[in-house]
Amino acid sequence: MRSNATFAVICIVTACALWATTGTAANFAPAINPLAIGAFSMGAAGLLLLATASRTIIKERIQLTQVPAFLVLGGLSIAIYPLAFYSSMKLAGVAIGTVVSLGSAPFFSVLFERLVNKITISKRWVVSFVFGVIGVTLIATGKQSHGQPTLINNTEYLGLSATHFGLILGLVAGLTYAAYAWAAKQIIDQGISSNASMASMFGLASVLLLPSLLITGDNLFATPTNTAVSIYMAVVPMFIGYLLFGYGLRHIEASKATLITLLEPVLATLLAVIVVGEKFNSWGWLGMVLILVCLVLQIVRIPIKLGGRQAV
């Protein structure tokens, strides 16, 4: 059982490494509408998941019909998440958009488990989350501005600056990410395979996402670079990444899984610095260290004492 949990963590960490490349990859195709890249990557990945899990879905179709609420919640969340996530990065920047989206997801995830499932949150999770929150906050505030502001930075949305509106969209992305992970966990806990669970939700999301490309997807395949970015996003981080994430959810709680995904902002930030050229001050780098501490607390069983009692 312990080995399964360890392998589940490895799968989720690997998925994080793949997801961390999405913001930087999208940066190479700036002409693509962020709504289009989000809709295509998730929608195409959904079709791939359906194709690979078709036999399993047919075999488990009766069980799937018994959890319609979770399927709808998961499918809607998956459909909303990429639209909010990529729009957030477009407006607030690759690193900050990723940090807010992924950094808020563990908080929303634990709310679902505490309020709906009545699961007691361990002291270890709380301590890890505190390190993670401080870490993502330092990363978000540690970005150094450079150059002249672009037109999008001077644009207002509903009375808010582009950056502030991007932060709000990041919170929406975090909420829908947590909702999807929680819904997937509930379906898997009903004895349904992770492949069938993920493919069913992603298939529903595809039905909602792909038609939007008729309006937003005119530049998806306009150039070889755009084509390469679009295909890469759909196949590698989305299709393969979510297969790995689904396996991880079979063996650990959704709140722990989303907490581990805080590794993604760290890797995304490093890529943003190395490849995109974004800059961070010492506070931003300290934030990355704190997130690594957060992850170590979840992966390595280090005794933690709070108020004279040892956390589990």
Side-chain angles (χ1 to χ4, degrees), residues 23 33-35 37 80-102 104 143 152-153 157 161-174 278:
N33 189 310
L35 300 180
I37 195 68
I80 295 172
Y81 169 72
L83 306 183
F85 178 52
Y86 292 109
S87 296
S88 174
M89 289 195 299
K90 186 76 172 181
L91 296 174
V94 172
I96 291 180
T98 304
V99 165
V100 174
S101 299
L102 276 297
S104 63
K143 181 179 180 181
I152 196 170
N153 295 130
Y157 299 82
S161 68
T163 299
H164 289 155
F165 193 66
L167 291 175
I168 292 175
L169 289 176
L171 292 174
V172 172
E278 295 190 5

Side-chain angles (χ1 to χ4, degrees), residues 243-279:
L243 275 179
L244 293 170
F245 188 68
Y247 178 84
L249 284 174
R250 288 174 55 185
H251 300 288
I252 61 177
E253 298 83 3
S255 58
K256 181 175 181 179
T258 53
L259 190 62
I260 294 172
T261 59
L262 287 178
L263 177 63
E264 181 182 345
V266 174
L267 298 176
T269 299
L270 290 174
L271 286 173
V273 170
I274 297 171
V275 181
V276 180
E278 295 190 5
K279 298 182 181 300

Side-chain angles (χ1 to χ4, degrees), residues 167-292:
L167 291 175
I168 292 175
L169 289 176
L171 292 174
V172 172
L175 174 61
T176 51
Y177 184 93
Y180 139 74
W182 179 80
K185 180 64 174 176
Q186 307 315 301
I187 297 173
I188 293 171
D189 284 348
Q190 298 297 317
I192 300 172
S193 67
S194 60
N195 287 347
S197 302
M198 303 291 286
S200 298
M201 291 189 299
F202 269 80
L204 175 58
S206 296
V207 173
L208 300 174
L209 287 171
L210 292 179
S212 69
L213 296 177
L214 295 174
I215 301 174
T216 64
D218 54 319
N219 287 327
L220 274 173
F221 306 105
T223 68
T225 298
N226 287 9
T227 301
V229 168
S230 299
I231 294 176
Y232 169 81
M233 297 273 278
V235 175
V236 180
M238 299 306 165
F239 173 57
I240 298 176
Y242 280 103
L243 275 179
L244 293 170
F245 188 68
Y247 178 84
L249 284 174
R250 288 174 55 185
H251 300 288
I252 61 177
E253 298 83 3
S255 58
K256 181 175 181 179
T258 53
L259 190 62
I260 294 172
T261 59
L262 287 178
L263 177 63
E264 181 182 345
V266 174
L267 298 176
T269 299
L270 290 174
L271 286 173
V273 170
I274 297 171
V275 181
V276 180
E278 295 190 5
K279 298 182 181 300
F280 287 79
N281 59 29
S282 57
W283 291 111
W285 295 107
L286 176 60
M288 283 187 270
V289 172
L290 293 181
I291 291 177
L292 292 177

